[in-house]
PDB file of all heavy atoms in Angstrom:
ATOM      1  N   LEU A   4       8.434  26.800  19.992  1.00 97.00           N
ATOM      2  CA  LEU A   4       7.921  25.371  19.920  1.00 97.00           C
ATOM      3  C   LEU A   4       7.214  25.109  18.584  1.00 97.00           C
ATOM      4  O   LEU A   4       7.400  23.978  17.992  1.00 97.00           O
ATOM      5  CB  LEU A   4       6.985  25.111  20.958  1.00 97.00           C
ATOM      6  CG  LEU A   4       6.270  23.817  20.965  1.00 97.00           C
ATOM      7  CD1 LEU A   4       7.115  22.652  21.107  1.00 97.00           C
ATOM      8  CD2 LEU A   4       5.378  23.797  22.281  1.00 97.00           C
ATOM      9  N   ALA A   5       6.506  26.065  17.999  1.00 97.00           N
ATOM     10  CA  ALA A   5       5.774  25.888  16.904  1.00 97.00           C
ATOM     11  C   ALA A   5       6.699  25.606  15.596  1.00 97.00           C
ATOM     12  O   ALA A   5       6.313  24.726  14.804  1.00 97.00           O
ATOM     13  CB  ALA A   5       4.833  27.149  16.570  1.00 97.00           C
ATOM     14  N   ALA A   6       7.682  26.356  15.560  1.00 97.00           N
ATOM     15  CA  ALA A   6       8.591  26.136  14.372  1.00 97.00           C
ATOM     16  C   ALA A   6       9.191  24.688  14.368  1.00 97.00           C
ATOM     17  O   ALA A   6       9.262  24.051  13.356  1.00 97.00           O
ATOM     18  CB  ALA A   6       9.653  27.162  14.275  1.00 97.00           C
ATOM     19  N   LYS A   7       9.654  24.264  15.483  1.00 97.00           N
ATOM     20  CA  LYS A   7      10.298  22.970  15.723  1.00 97.00           C
ATOM     21  C   LYS A   7       9.253  21.967  15.359  1.00 97.00           C
ATOM     22  O   LYS A   7       9.518  21.034  14.714  1.00 97.00           O
ATOM     23  CB  LYS A   7      10.873  22.852  17.055  1.00 97.00           C
ATOM     24  CG  LYS A   7      11.925  23.753  17.355  1.00 97.00           C
ATOM     25  CD  LYS A   7      12.352  23.603  18.834  1.00 97.00           C
ATOM     26  CE  LYS A   7      13.581  24.573  19.178  1.00 97.00           C
ATOM     27  NZ  LYS A   7      13.928  24.384  20.554  1.00 97.00           N
ATOM     28  N   THR A   8       7.959  22.089  15.936  1.00 98.00           N
ATOM     29  CA  THR A   8       6.939  21.151  15.624  1.00 98.00           C
ATOM     30  C   THR A   8       6.576  21.058  14.150  1.00 98.00           C
ATOM     31  O   THR A   8       6.349  19.984  13.635  1.00 98.00           O
ATOM     32  CB  THR A   8       5.695  21.522  16.463  1.00 98.00           C
ATOM     33  OG1 THR A   8       6.027  21.608  17.854  1.00 98.00           O
ATOM     34  CG2 THR A   8       4.544  20.595  16.343  1.00 98.00           C
ATOM     35  N   ALA A   9       6.489  22.189  13.532  1.00 97.00           N
ATOM     36  CA  ALA A   9       6.053  22.185  12.032  1.00 97.00           C
ATOM     37  C   ALA A   9       7.093  21.435  11.357  1.00 97.00           C
ATOM     38  O   ALA A   9       6.722  20.672  10.343  1.00 97.00           O
ATOM     39  CB  ALA A   9       5.980  23.667  11.611  1.00 97.00           C
ATOM     40  N   TYR A  10       8.385  21.638  11.669  1.00 97.00           N
ATOM     41  CA  TYR A  10       9.540  20.949  10.938  1.00 97.00           C
ATOM     42  C   TYR A  10       9.392  19.458  10.957  1.00 97.00           C
ATOM     43  O   TYR A  10       9.479  18.629   9.936  1.00 97.00           O
ATOM     44  CB  TYR A  10      10.857  21.383  11.396  1.00 97.00           C
ATOM     45  CG  TYR A  10      12.057  20.771  10.766  1.00 97.00           C
ATOM     46  CD1 TYR A  10      12.585  21.209   9.635  1.00 97.00           C
ATOM     47  CD2 TYR A  10      12.600  19.721  11.364  1.00 97.00           C
ATOM     48  CE1 TYR A  10      13.696  20.779   9.027  1.00 97.00           C
ATOM     49  CE2 TYR A  10      13.853  19.138  10.786  1.00 97.00           C
ATOM     50  CZ  TYR A  10      14.381  19.640   9.651  1.00 97.00           C
ATOM     51  OH  TYR A  10      15.473  19.050   8.977  1.00 97.00           O
ATOM     52  N   ILE A  11       9.182  18.944  12.234  1.00 97.00           N
ATOM     53  CA  ILE A  11       8.971  17.489  12.474  1.00 97.00           C
ATOM     54  C   ILE A  11       7.723  16.957  11.810  1.00 97.00           C
ATOM     55  O   ILE A  11       7.645  15.867  11.265  1.00 97.00           O
ATOM     56  CB  ILE A  11       9.058  17.225  13.948  1.00 97.00           C
ATOM     57  CG1 ILE A  11      10.417  17.719  14.485  1.00 97.00           C
ATOM     58  CG2 ILE A  11       8.913  15.743  14.222  1.00 97.00           C
ATOM     59  CD1 ILE A  11      10.333  17.780  15.986  1.00 97.00           C
ATOM     60  N   ALA A  12       6.575  17.585  12.015  1.00 97.00           N
ATOM     61  CA  ALA A  12       5.357  17.173  11.522  1.00 97.00           C
ATOM     62  C   ALA A  12       5.306  17.128  10.090  1.00 97.00           C
ATOM     63  O   ALA A  12       4.780  16.204   9.427  1.00 97.00           O
ATOM     64  CB  ALA A  12       4.239  18.203  11.904  1.00 97.00           C
ATOM     65  N   GLU A  13       5.979  18.006   9.354  1.00 96.00           N
ATOM     66  CA  GLU A  13       5.969  17.874   7.855  1.00 96.00           C
ATOM     67  C   GLU A  13       6.791  16.635   7.441  1.00 96.00           C
ATOM     68  O   GLU A  13       6.293  15.970   6.476  1.00 96.00           O
ATOM     69  CB  GLU A  13       6.805  19.177   7.280  1.00 96.00           C
ATOM     70  CG  GLU A  13       6.868  19.123   5.736  1.00 96.00           C
ATOM     71  CD  GLU A  13       7.529  20.315   5.192  1.00 96.00           C
ATOM     72  OE1 GLU A  13       8.047  21.116   5.937  1.00 96.00           O
ATOM     73  OE2 GLU A  13       7.348  20.589   3.910  1.00 96.00           O
ATOM     74  N   ARG A  14       7.862  16.287   8.066  1.00 96.00           N
ATOM     75  CA  ARG A  14       8.527  14.954   7.748  1.00 96.00           C
ATOM     76  C   ARG A  14       7.695  13.767   8.066  1.00 96.00           C
ATOM     77  O   ARG A  14       7.705  12.720   7.371  1.00 96.00           O
ATOM     78  CB  ARG A  14       9.840  14.971   8.344  1.00 96.00           C
ATOM     79  CG  ARG A  14      10.882  15.902   7.543  1.00 96.00           C
ATOM     80  CD  ARG A  14      11.830  16.655   8.293  1.00 96.00           C
ATOM     81  NE  ARG A  14      12.551  17.562   7.455  1.00 96.00           N
ATOM     82  CZ  ARG A  14      12.120  18.646   7.062  1.00 96.00           C
ATOM     83  NH1 ARG A  14      10.899  19.052   7.435  1.00 96.00           N
ATOM     84  NH2 ARG A  14      12.852  19.416   6.268  1.00 96.00           N
ATOM     85  N   ALA A  15       6.992  13.879   9.236  1.00 96.00           N
ATOM     86  CA  ALA A  15       6.071  12.735   9.550  1.00 96.00           C
ATOM     87  C   ALA A  15       5.052  12.541   8.697  1.00 96.00           C
ATOM     88  O   ALA A  15       4.621  11.480   8.306  1.00 96.00           O
ATOM     89  CB  ALA A  15       5.565  13.032  11.008  1.00 96.00           C
ATOM     90  N   ALA A  16       4.408  13.685   8.124  1.00 96.00           N
ATOM     91  CA  ALA A  16       3.353  13.563   7.183  1.00 96.00           C
ATOM     92  C   ALA A  16       3.850  13.008   5.817  1.00 96.00           C
ATOM     93  O   ALA A  16       3.371  12.187   5.146  1.00 96.00           O
ATOM     94  CB  ALA A  16       2.861  14.886   6.834  1.00 96.00           C
ATOM     95  N   ASP A  17       5.052  13.328   5.413  1.00 95.00           N
ATOM     96  CA  ASP A  17       5.593  12.855   4.141  1.00 95.00           C
ATOM     97  C   ASP A  17       5.897  11.444   4.327  1.00 95.00           C
ATOM     98  O   ASP A  17       5.735  10.735   3.329  1.00 95.00           O
ATOM     99  CB  ASP A  17       6.917  13.589   3.912  1.00 95.00           C
ATOM    100  CG  ASP A  17       6.727  15.070   3.424  1.00 95.00           C
ATOM    101  OD1 ASP A  17       5.680  15.412   3.081  1.00 95.00           O
ATOM    102  OD2 ASP A  17       7.724  15.744   3.434  1.00 95.00           O
ATOM    103  N   ASN A  18       6.301  10.945   5.519  1.00 93.00           N
ATOM    104  CA  ASN A  18       6.623   9.472   5.743  1.00 93.00           C
ATOM    105  C   ASN A  18       5.346   8.663   5.712  1.00 93.00           C
ATOM    106  O   ASN A  18       5.292   7.598   5.221  1.00 93.00           O
ATOM    107  CB  ASN A  18       7.502   9.321   6.995  1.00 93.00           C
ATOM    108  CG  ASN A  18       7.920   7.959   7.139  1.00 93.00           C
ATOM    109  OD1 ASN A  18       8.796   7.361   6.275  1.00 93.00           O
ATOM    110  ND2 ASN A  18       7.635   7.321   8.220  1.00 93.00           N
ATOM    111  N   ALA A  19       4.262   9.275   6.327  1.00 93.00           N
ATOM    112  CA  ALA A  19       3.015   8.691   6.411  1.00 93.00           C
ATOM    113  C   ALA A  19       2.473   8.512   4.948  1.00 93.00           C
ATOM    114  O   ALA A  19       1.867   7.449   4.673  1.00 93.00           O
ATOM    115  CB  ALA A  19       2.122   9.424   7.153  1.00 93.00           C
ATOM    116  N   HIS A  20       2.674   9.598   4.127  1.00 92.00           N
ATOM    117  CA  HIS A  20       2.157   9.454   2.737  1.00 92.00           C
ATOM    118  C   HIS A  20       2.904   8.283   2.037  1.00 92.00           C
ATOM    119  O   HIS A  20       2.239   7.525   1.197  1.00 92.00           O
ATOM    120  CB  HIS A  20       2.389  10.762   2.085  1.00 92.00           C
ATOM    121  CG  HIS A  20       1.898  10.787   0.716  1.00 92.00           C
ATOM    122  ND1 HIS A  20       0.632  10.783   0.256  1.00 92.00           N
ATOM    123  CD2 HIS A  20       2.613  10.665  -0.680  1.00 92.00           C
ATOM    124  CE1 HIS A  20       0.488  10.843  -0.947  1.00 92.00           C
ATOM    125  NE2 HIS A  20       1.733  10.725  -1.583  1.00 92.00           N
ATOM    126  N   ALA A  21       4.165   8.260   2.173  1.00 90.00           N
ATOM    127  CA  ALA A  21       4.818   7.124   1.580  1.00 90.00           C
ATOM    128  C   ALA A  21       4.548   5.750   2.044  1.00 90.00           C
ATOM    129  O   ALA A  21       4.409   4.895   1.278  1.00 90.00           O
ATOM    130  CB  ALA A  21       6.457   7.340   1.740  1.00 90.00           C
ATOM    131  N   GLY A  22       4.167   5.717   3.267  1.00 88.00           N
ATOM    132  CA  GLY A  22       3.731   4.439   3.882  1.00 88.00           C
ATOM    133  C   GLY A  22       2.456   4.014   3.261  1.00 88.00           C
ATOM    134  O   GLY A  22       2.206   2.911   3.066  1.00 88.00           O
ATOM    135  N   THR A  23       1.518   5.038   3.136  1.00 84.00           N
ATOM    136  CA  THR A  23       0.244   4.771   2.605  1.00 84.00           C
ATOM    137  C   THR A  23       0.424   4.109   1.049  1.00 84.00           C
ATOM    138  O   THR A  23      -0.201   3.226   0.763  1.00 84.00           O
ATOM    139  CB  THR A  23      -0.653   5.991   2.434  1.00 84.00           C
ATOM    140  OG1 THR A  23      -0.870   6.521   3.772  1.00 84.00           O
ATOM    141  CG2 THR A  23      -1.983   5.733   1.828  1.00 84.00           C
ATOM    142  N   GLN A  24       1.300   4.844   0.251  1.00 84.00           N
ATOM    143  CA  GLN A  24       1.423   4.332  -1.023  1.00 84.00           C
ATOM    144  C   GLN A  24       2.061   2.898  -1.153  1.00 84.00           C
ATOM    145  O   GLN A  24       1.683   2.151  -1.894  1.00 84.00           O
ATOM    146  CB  GLN A  24       2.397   5.334  -1.791  1.00 84.00           C
ATOM    147  CG  GLN A  24       1.930   6.676  -1.936  1.00 84.00           C
ATOM    148  CD  GLN A  24       0.555   6.741  -2.593  1.00 84.00           C
ATOM    149  OE1 GLN A  24       0.364   6.157  -3.748  1.00 84.00           O
ATOM    150  NE2 GLN A  24      -0.445   7.491  -1.963  1.00 84.00           N
ATOM    151  N   SER A  25       3.017   2.633  -0.156  1.00 81.00           N
ATOM    152  CA  SER A  25       3.684   1.425  -0.020  1.00 81.00           C
ATOM    153  C   SER A  25       2.670   0.240   0.278  1.00 81.00           C
ATOM    154  O   SER A  25       2.548  -0.848  -0.410  1.00 81.00           O
ATOM    155  CB  SER A  25       4.838   1.377   0.796  1.00 81.00           C
ATOM    156  OG  SER A  25       5.397   0.051   0.977  1.00 81.00           O
ATOM    157  N   VAL A  26       2.009   0.472   1.358  1.00 72.00           N
ATOM    158  CA  VAL A  26       1.016  -0.503   1.984  1.00 72.00           C
ATOM    159  C   VAL A  26      -0.130  -0.769   1.014  1.00 72.00           C
ATOM    160  O   VAL A  26      -0.532  -1.894   0.810  1.00 72.00           O
ATOM    161  CB  VAL A  26       0.548  -0.109   3.352  1.00 72.00           C
ATOM    162  CG1 VAL A  26      -0.537  -0.941   3.847  1.00 72.00           C
ATOM    163  CG2 VAL A  26       1.674  -0.082   4.445  1.00 72.00           C
ATOM    164  N   SER A  27      -0.638   0.336   0.376  1.00 67.00           N
ATOM    165  CA  SER A  27      -1.750   0.112  -0.625  1.00 67.00           C
ATOM    166  C   SER A  27      -1.357  -0.666  -1.831  1.00 67.00           C
ATOM    167  O   SER A  27      -1.976  -1.459  -2.309  1.00 67.00           O
ATOM    168  CB  SER A  27      -2.164   1.624  -1.144  1.00 67.00           C
ATOM    169  OG  SER A  27      -2.790   2.316  -0.028  1.00 67.00           O
ATOM    170  N   GLY A  28      -0.018  -0.472  -2.258  1.00 62.00           N
ATOM    171  CA  GLY A  28       0.472  -1.342  -3.327  1.00 62.00           C
ATOM    172  C   GLY A  28       0.464  -2.858  -2.914  1.00 62.00           C
ATOM    173  O   GLY A  28       0.081  -3.664  -3.783  1.00 62.00           O
ATOM    174  N   GLN A  29       0.878  -3.086  -1.656  1.00 57.00           N
ATOM    175  CA  GLN A  29       0.876  -4.480  -1.217  1.00 57.00           C
ATOM    176  C   GLN A  29      -0.629  -5.011  -1.136  1.00 57.00           C
ATOM    177  O   GLN A  29      -0.950  -6.104  -1.484  1.00 57.00           O
ATOM    178  CB  GLN A  29       1.365  -4.533   0.157  1.00 57.00           C
ATOM    179  CG  GLN A  29       2.992  -4.245   0.074  1.00 57.00           C
ATOM    180  CD  GLN A  29       3.541  -4.094   1.554  1.00 57.00           C
ATOM    181  OE1 GLN A  29       2.971  -4.752   2.359  1.00 57.00           O
ATOM    182  NE2 GLN A  29       4.638  -3.486   1.689  1.00 57.00           N
ATOM    183  N   TYR A  30      -1.504  -4.190  -0.598  1.00 45.00           N
ATOM    184  CA  TYR A  30      -2.918  -4.619  -0.602  1.00 45.00           C
ATOM    185  C   TYR A  30      -3.561  -4.958  -1.915  1.00 45.00           C
ATOM    186  O   TYR A  30      -4.144  -5.964  -2.138  1.00 45.00           O
ATOM    187  CB  TYR A  30      -3.666  -3.452   0.107  1.00 45.00           C
ATOM    188  CG  TYR A  30      -5.171  -3.657   0.145  1.00 45.00           C
ATOM    189  CD1 TYR A  30      -5.908  -4.554   0.969  1.00 45.00           C
ATOM    190  CD2 TYR A  30      -5.968  -2.902  -0.743  1.00 45.00           C
ATOM    191  CE1 TYR A  30      -7.211  -4.752   0.904  1.00 45.00           C
ATOM    192  CE2 TYR A  30      -7.308  -3.111  -0.837  1.00 45.00           C
ATOM    193  CZ  TYR A  30      -8.002  -4.123   0.106  1.00 45.00           C
ATOM    194  OH  TYR A  30      -9.294  -4.207  -0.019  1.00 45.00           O
ATOM    195  N   ASN A  31      -3.232  -4.008  -2.855  1.00 48.00           N
ATOM    196  CA  ASN A  31      -3.797  -4.266  -4.285  1.00 48.00           C
ATOM    197  C   ASN A  31      -3.269  -5.464  -4.933  1.00 48.00           C
ATOM    198  O   ASN A  31      -4.015  -6.180  -5.499  1.00 48.00           O
ATOM    199  CB  ASN A  31      -3.505  -2.986  -5.123  1.00 48.00           C
ATOM    200  CG  ASN A  31      -4.242  -1.832  -4.562  1.00 48.00           C
ATOM    201  OD1 ASN A  31      -5.383  -1.949  -3.887  1.00 48.00           O
ATOM    202  ND2 ASN A  31      -3.862  -0.610  -4.934  1.00 48.00           N
ATOM    203  N   ALA A  32      -1.903  -5.759  -4.661  1.00 44.00           N
ATOM    204  CA  ALA A  32      -1.299  -6.985  -5.181  1.00 44.00           C
ATOM    205  C   ALA A  32      -2.006  -8.139  -4.616  1.00 44.00           C
ATOM    206  O   ALA A  32      -2.175  -9.052  -5.261  1.00 44.00           O
ATOM    207  CB  ALA A  32       0.144  -6.736  -4.999  1.00 44.00           C
ATOM    208  N   ALA A  33      -2.049  -8.228  -3.381  1.00 42.00           N
ATOM    209  CA  ALA A  33      -2.623  -9.346  -2.717  1.00 42.00           C
ATOM    210  C   ALA A  33      -4.004  -9.783  -3.097  1.00 42.00           C
ATOM    211  O   ALA A  33      -4.411 -10.673  -3.332  1.00 42.00           O
ATOM    212  CB  ALA A  33      -2.432  -9.211  -1.167  1.00 42.00           C
ATOM    213  N   GLY A  34      -4.781  -8.560  -3.164  1.00 45.00           N
ATOM    214  CA  GLY A  34      -6.245  -8.735  -3.572  1.00 45.00           C
ATOM    215  C   GLY A  34      -6.424  -9.221  -4.921  1.00 45.00           C
ATOM    216  O   GLY A  34      -7.263 -10.017  -5.205  1.00 45.00           O
ATOM    217  N   THR A  35      -5.545  -8.818  -5.902  1.00 45.00           N
ATOM    218  CA  THR A  35      -5.492  -9.089  -7.209  1.00 45.00           C
ATOM    219  C   THR A  35      -5.227 -10.607  -7.425  1.00 45.00           C
ATOM    220  O   THR A  35      -5.803 -11.333  -8.003  1.00 45.00           O
ATOM    221  CB  THR A  35      -4.546  -8.250  -8.051  1.00 45.00           C
ATOM    222  OG1 THR A  35      -5.076  -6.989  -8.013  1.00 45.00           O
ATOM    223  CG2 THR A  35      -4.644  -8.769  -9.531  1.00 45.00           C
ATOM    224  N   LEU A  36      -4.140 -10.964  -6.619  1.00 36.00           N
ATOM    225  CA  LEU A  36      -3.763 -12.385  -6.644  1.00 36.00           C
ATOM    226  C   LEU A  36      -4.747 -13.353  -6.139  1.00 36.00           C
ATOM    227  O   LEU A  36      -5.163 -14.396  -6.691  1.00 36.00           O
ATOM    228  CB  LEU A  36      -2.408 -12.562  -5.996  1.00 36.00           C
ATOM    229  CG  LEU A  36      -1.871 -14.059  -5.813  1.00 36.00           C
ATOM    230  CD1 LEU A  36      -1.546 -14.617  -7.213  1.00 36.00           C
ATOM    231  CD2 LEU A  36      -0.506 -14.099  -4.983  1.00 36.00           C
ATOM    232  N   SER A  37      -5.517 -12.922  -5.001  1.00 40.00           N
ATOM    233  CA  SER A  37      -6.453 -13.796  -4.441  1.00 40.00           C
ATOM    234  C   SER A  37      -7.657 -13.987  -5.445  1.00 40.00           C
ATOM    235  O   SER A  37      -8.101 -15.158  -5.578  1.00 40.00           O
ATOM    236  CB  SER A  37      -6.997 -13.087  -3.232  1.00 40.00           C
ATOM    237  OG  SER A  37      -8.027 -13.621  -2.622  1.00 40.00           O
ATOM    238  N   SER A  38      -8.072 -12.925  -6.020  1.00 45.00           N
ATOM    239  CA  SER A  38      -9.278 -13.045  -6.921  1.00 45.00           C
ATOM    240  C   SER A  38      -8.877 -13.796  -8.234  1.00 45.00           C
ATOM    241  O   SER A  38      -9.712 -14.592  -8.817  1.00 45.00           O
ATOM    242  CB  SER A  38      -9.598 -11.618  -7.352  1.00 45.00           C
ATOM    243  OG  SER A  38      -8.640 -10.866  -8.129  1.00 45.00           O
ATOM    244  N   GLN A  39      -7.546 -13.703  -8.742  1.00 45.00           N
ATOM    245  CA  GLN A  39      -7.121 -14.383  -9.884  1.00 45.00           C
ATOM    246  C   GLN A  39      -7.090 -15.874  -9.577  1.00 45.00           C
ATOM    247  O   GLN A  39      -7.481 -16.743 -10.377  1.00 45.00           O
ATOM    248  CB  GLN A  39      -5.732 -13.967 -10.350  1.00 45.00           C
ATOM    249  CG  GLN A  39      -5.869 -12.604 -10.985  1.00 45.00           C
ATOM    250  CD  GLN A  39      -4.296 -12.084 -11.378  1.00 45.00           C
ATOM    251  OE1 GLN A  39      -3.447 -12.587 -10.806  1.00 45.00           O
ATOM    252  NE2 GLN A  39      -4.336 -11.120 -12.219  1.00 45.00           N
ATOM    253  N   LEU A  40      -6.624 -16.271  -8.388  1.00 39.00           N
ATOM    254  CA  LEU A  40      -6.406 -17.729  -8.146  1.00 39.00           C
ATOM    255  C   LEU A  40      -7.861 -18.308  -8.068  1.00 39.00           C
ATOM    256  O   LEU A  40      -8.002 -19.405  -8.486  1.00 39.00           O
ATOM    257  CB  LEU A  40      -5.748 -17.884  -6.812  1.00 39.00           C
ATOM    258  CG  LEU A  40      -4.271 -17.664  -6.785  1.00 39.00           C
ATOM    259  CD1 LEU A  40      -3.726 -17.586  -5.272  1.00 39.00           C
ATOM    260  CD2 LEU A  40      -3.466 -18.756  -7.614  1.00 39.00           C
ATOM    261  N   ALA A  41      -8.853 -17.675  -7.447  1.00 43.00           N
ATOM    262  CA  ALA A  41     -10.174 -18.112  -7.308  1.00 43.00           C
ATOM    263  C   ALA A  41     -10.884 -18.283  -8.644  1.00 43.00           C
ATOM    264  O   ALA A  41     -11.411 -19.242  -8.978  1.00 43.00           O
ATOM    265  CB  ALA A  41     -10.914 -17.112  -6.338  1.00 43.00           C
ATOM    266  N   SER A  42     -10.674 -17.047  -9.444  1.00 47.00           N
ATOM    267  CA  SER A  42     -11.419 -17.167 -10.755  1.00 47.00           C
ATOM    268  C   SER A  42     -10.814 -18.185 -11.740  1.00 47.00           C
ATOM    269  O   SER A  42     -11.484 -18.598 -12.706  1.00 47.00           O
ATOM    270  CB  SER A  42     -11.193 -15.780 -11.249  1.00 47.00           C
ATOM    271  OG  SER A  42      -9.966 -15.419 -11.672  1.00 47.00           O
ATOM    272  N   ARG A  43      -9.475 -18.703 -11.455  1.00 42.00           N
ATOM    273  CA  ARG A  43      -8.895 -19.437 -12.534  1.00 42.00           C
ATOM    274  C   ARG A  43      -9.222 -21.070 -12.341  1.00 42.00           C
ATOM    275  O   ARG A  43      -8.700 -21.860 -12.957  1.00 42.00           O
ATOM    276  CB  ARG A  43      -7.384 -19.292 -12.647  1.00 42.00           C
ATOM    277  CG  ARG A  43      -7.179 -17.927 -13.364  1.00 42.00           C
ATOM    278  CD  ARG A  43      -5.613 -17.622 -13.314  1.00 42.00           C
ATOM    279  NE  ARG A  43      -5.363 -16.370 -13.943  1.00 42.00           N
ATOM    280  CZ  ARG A  43      -4.200 -15.751 -14.074  1.00 42.00           C
ATOM    281  NH1 ARG A  43      -3.121 -16.373 -13.607  1.00 42.00           N
ATOM    282  NH2 ARG A  43      -4.068 -14.609 -14.565  1.00 42.00           N
ATOM    283  N   TYR A  44     -10.048 -21.197 -11.321  1.00 41.00           N
ATOM    284  CA  TYR A  44     -10.265 -22.616 -10.857  1.00 41.00           C
ATOM    285  C   TYR A  44     -10.911 -23.370 -12.117  1.00 41.00           C
ATOM    286  O   TYR A  44     -10.453 -24.545 -12.498  1.00 41.00           O
ATOM    287  CB  TYR A  44     -11.288 -22.774  -9.784  1.00 41.00           C
ATOM    288  CG  TYR A  44     -11.793 -24.199  -9.573  1.00 41.00           C
ATOM    289  CD1 TYR A  44     -10.968 -25.229  -9.231  1.00 41.00           C
ATOM    290  CD2 TYR A  44     -13.229 -24.360  -9.813  1.00 41.00           C
ATOM    291  CE1 TYR A  44     -11.519 -26.384  -8.978  1.00 41.00           C
ATOM    292  CE2 TYR A  44     -13.638 -25.649  -9.590  1.00 41.00           C
ATOM    293  CZ  TYR A  44     -12.945 -26.648  -9.199  1.00 41.00           C
ATOM    294  OH  TYR A  44     -13.347 -27.887  -9.006  1.00 41.00           O
ATOM    295  N   ASP A  45     -11.743 -22.816 -12.866  1.00 43.00           N
ATOM    296  CA  ASP A  45     -12.360 -23.456 -14.121  1.00 43.00           C
ATOM    297  C   ASP A  45     -11.331 -23.845 -15.144  1.00 43.00           C
ATOM    298  O   ASP A  45     -11.551 -24.760 -15.928  1.00 43.00           O
ATOM    299  CB  ASP A  45     -13.404 -22.583 -14.829  1.00 43.00           C
ATOM    300  CG  ASP A  45     -14.670 -22.438 -14.006  1.00 43.00           C
ATOM    301  OD1 ASP A  45     -14.830 -23.344 -13.287  1.00 43.00           O
ATOM    302  OD2 ASP A  45     -15.438 -21.476 -14.118  1.00 43.00           O
ATOM    303  N   PHE A  46     -10.218 -23.211 -15.087  1.00 36.00           N
ATOM    304  CA  PHE A  46      -9.165 -23.381 -16.165  1.00 36.00           C
ATOM    305  C   PHE A  46      -8.408 -24.762 -15.779  1.00 36.00           C
ATOM    306  O   PHE A  46      -8.168 -25.569 -16.530  1.00 36.00           O
ATOM    307  CB  PHE A  46      -8.085 -22.452 -16.237  1.00 36.00           C
ATOM    308  CG  PHE A  46      -6.916 -22.622 -17.113  1.00 36.00           C
ATOM    309  CD1 PHE A  46      -7.077 -22.526 -18.440  1.00 36.00           C
ATOM    310  CD2 PHE A  46      -5.713 -23.055 -16.623  1.00 36.00           C
ATOM    311  CE1 PHE A  46      -5.969 -22.734 -19.326  1.00 36.00           C
ATOM    312  CE2 PHE A  46      -4.646 -23.350 -17.328  1.00 36.00           C
ATOM    313  CZ  PHE A  46      -4.768 -23.139 -18.787  1.00 36.00           C
ATOM    314  N   TRP A  47      -8.060 -24.869 -14.499  1.00 38.00           N
ATOM    315  CA  TRP A  47      -7.345 -26.080 -13.948  1.00 38.00           C
ATOM    316  C   TRP A  47      -8.144 -27.296 -13.618  1.00 38.00           C
ATOM    317  O   TRP A  47      -7.607 -28.428 -13.669  1.00 38.00           O
ATOM    318  CB  TRP A  47      -6.457 -25.664 -12.818  1.00 38.00           C
ATOM    319  CG  TRP A  47      -5.446 -24.760 -13.021  1.00 38.00           C
ATOM    320  CD1 TRP A  47      -5.486 -23.367 -12.744  1.00 38.00           C
ATOM    321  CD2 TRP A  47      -4.272 -25.030 -13.723  1.00 38.00           C
ATOM    322  NE1 TRP A  47      -4.311 -22.799 -13.176  1.00 38.00           N
ATOM    323  CE2 TRP A  47      -3.538 -23.853 -13.820  1.00 38.00           C
ATOM    324  CE3 TRP A  47      -3.624 -26.207 -14.146  1.00 38.00           C
ATOM    325  CZ2 TRP A  47      -2.228 -23.731 -14.294  1.00 38.00           C
ATOM    326  CZ3 TRP A  47      -2.451 -26.189 -14.771  1.00 38.00           C
ATOM    327  CH2 TRP A  47      -1.632 -24.959 -14.846  1.00 38.00           C
TER     328      TRP A  47
END
């Protein structure tokens, strides 16, 4: 059981890591856009 579990868990961890990177990228992009739109009010 342990060998089978380790095999699956490793792939689940890798996929979770990729998910973290992907979602964090979206979060940073949205946060940057939000702050930019608010800060540029003085320009418009």
Side-chain angles (χ1 to χ4, degrees):
L4 174 58
K7 294 176 183 177
T8 299
Y10 179 84
I11 302 165
E13 181 175 14
R14 279 143 189 80
D17 289 344
N18 189 57
H20 180 75
T23 301
Q24 299 302 310
S25 175
V26 173
S27 295
Q29 295 172 22
Y30 169 77
N31 291 336
T35 300
L36 179 57
S37 175
S38 62
Q39 286 177 344
L40 286 172
S42 66
R43 288 179 183 178
Y44 168 64
D45 284 341
F46 175 81
W47 289 107

